[in-house]
Amino acid sequence: MCIRDRVSTQSTGLFLILLEMGPERTKGVSRNPTIKSWVQRYGRARALHRTGRYKLKVANFKQTPKAALEIKAKVKKFGKKNEDRVIQPKGPKYYPTEPVRKLLKNNHRNKAPKFRKSLVPGAILILLAGKYKGSRVVLLKTLPSGLLAVTGPYNVNGVPLRRVNPAYVIATTTRVDLTGFTAADKVDDAYFQKPQTKKEKKPEAQFFEKDKTKKSPKKLNPEKVATQKAVDSELLKVIQKTPLLNKYLSSKFGLSNGQAPHDLKF
């Protein structure tokens, strides 16, 4: 047996193995795996080549929308001899001055957020950014948007109900038992959305004039005030069960000279 025959037999053997493995391929698994978020292993041309869709012949090609868009050339008879002449279709009357960019198909789907094991409802957190940075808050729940619903409570350290990014939070080992805590059931992502208001268009005369009238302070939503009071009243009863927890929450976190945050145990 020559070398060519050996190579041909090996290639046919591999081909038969691949054919056997083909039906057992799990459905829904992409042939173009993602290396990282938004980065795929193969490009568009290589991914199309791997699928093999270019080999398929479309049945009833005349009925496809692509064939319907094609402009067919007309044949008319001219002259005394009635000779057939092909009339080519006219080009479009309008040409874009710049190339029209077509958006690529986005197959990205939002996945359910993954939280750290330490981010449990009832955990005491330290805020690292924002208006209330350094404050200690109580984690009420994790939201489907990937954010955390926290509160001070407001009566203790002035931190109201708000959403926080878990990346800017230190979770401590201190916990509060929130079994049977129902005051925060209404708190979700829709609770924190601001109402959309349409701005009135000013005429040209008023546009350049300065507004001498003083702006009235923003009115708080009475429903949100009621939910804040309900959460605070129910949460304070739980906090008072553990001694010195009220003072712990009211004090702010800070580092003194020589303290390294990676050496501290929270």
Side-chain angles (χ1 to χ4, degrees):
M1 186 183 286
C2 63
I3 295 167
R4 287 183 182 177
D5 294 336
R6 286 179 185 175
V7 173
S8 62
T9 52
Q10 286 176 1
S11 61
T12 50
L14 287 168
F15 181 69
L16 290 169
I17 290 163
L18 289 170
L19 280 174
E20 289 176 0
M21 289 172 67
E24 293 176 1
R25 182 177 171 272
T26 53
K27 291 182 180 180
V29 179
S30 176
R31 290 186 178 88
N32 192 3
T34 53
I35 300 167
K36 280 190 176 182
S37 58
W38 301 88
V39 180
Q40 290 181 322
R41 173 70 180 83
Y42 302 103
R44 291 175 68 190
R46 183 63 180 164
L48 184 69
H49 182 75
R50 284 172 66 81
T51 56
R53 277 181 285 175
Y54 61 93
K55 292 182 181 178
L56 298 174
K57 291 182 180 179
V58 181
N60 300 324
F61 180 72
K62 293 179 182 179
Q63 296 178 3
T64 56
K66 190 176 180 181
L69 291 170
E70 290 180 357
I71 303 166
K72 295 179 180 179
K74 294 180 181 179
V75 180
K76 285 188 176 182
K77 293 183 178 182
F78 286 91
K80 295 178 180 178
K81 295 181 181 180
N82 290 330
E83 294 177 349
D84 293 337
R85 289 189 182 180
V86 179
I87 301 169
Q88 296 296 334
K90 292 180 180 180
K93 292 182 180 179
Y94 169 75
Y95 289 96
T97 54
E98 295 180 358
V100 181
R101 292 183 179 181
K102 291 183 179 180
L103 293 172
L104 297 173
K105 191 178 179 182
N106 185 7
N107 294 323
H108 178 72
R109 292 177 183 176
N110 292 327
K111 296 178 182 177
K114 292 181 180 179
F115 297 99
R116 285 173 279 169
K117 292 179 181 178
S118 56
L119 296 176
V120 185
I124 306 298
L125 310 178
I126 299 169
L127 303 180
L128 299 176
K131 185 179 178 182
Y132 303 100
K133 61 182 175 181
S135 300
R136 293 182 173 91
V137 293
V138 181
L139 174 60
L140 298 177
K141 58 162 69 171
T142 55
L143 300 172
S145 62
L147 300 174
L148 308 173
V150 298
T151 186
Y154 184 75
N155 291 334
V156 176
N157 54 16
V159 181
L161 279 164
R162 59 192 290 110
R163 288 184 295 182
V164 177
N165 191 335
Y168 301 103
V169 150
I170 295 173
T172 63
T173 53
T174 312
R175 298 280 187 273
V176 174
D177 189 15
L178 293 182
T179 51
F181 187 79
T182 57
D185 291 344
K186 296 180 181 178
V187 179
D188 54 356
D189 287 314
Y191 173 82
F192 295 101
Q193 287 180 354
K194 294 180 181 179
Q196 295 180 354
T197 55
K198 291 183 179 179
K199 292 183 179 180
E200 296 180 357
K201 290 185 178 180
K202 294 181 181 180
E204 291 183 4
Q206 292 182 4
F207 185 77
F208 294 101
E209 290 181 359
K210 291 183 180 179
D211 291 334
K212 295 180 181 180
T213 57
K214 292 182 179 179
K215 291 182 179 179
S216 58
K218 291 182 179 179
K219 293 181 179 179
L220 296 171
N221 192 352
E223 292 181 1
K224 290 187 176 181
V225 173
T227 52
Q228 181 70 64
K229 287 180 179 178
V231 169
D232 284 2
S233 62
E234 197 169 341
L235 196 59
L236 281 168
K237 292 176 184 177
V238 181
I239 291 167
Q240 286 171 2
K241 291 178 182 179
T242 56
L244 300 175
L245 187 59
N246 200 336
K247 290 183 178 180
Y248 176 70
L249 288 169
S250 59
S251 63
K252 283 200 171 187
F253 170 76
L255 293 171
S256 59
N257 291 332
Q259 274 188 330
H262 59 275
D263 290 335
L264 298 174
K265 290 185 179 179
F266 297 97

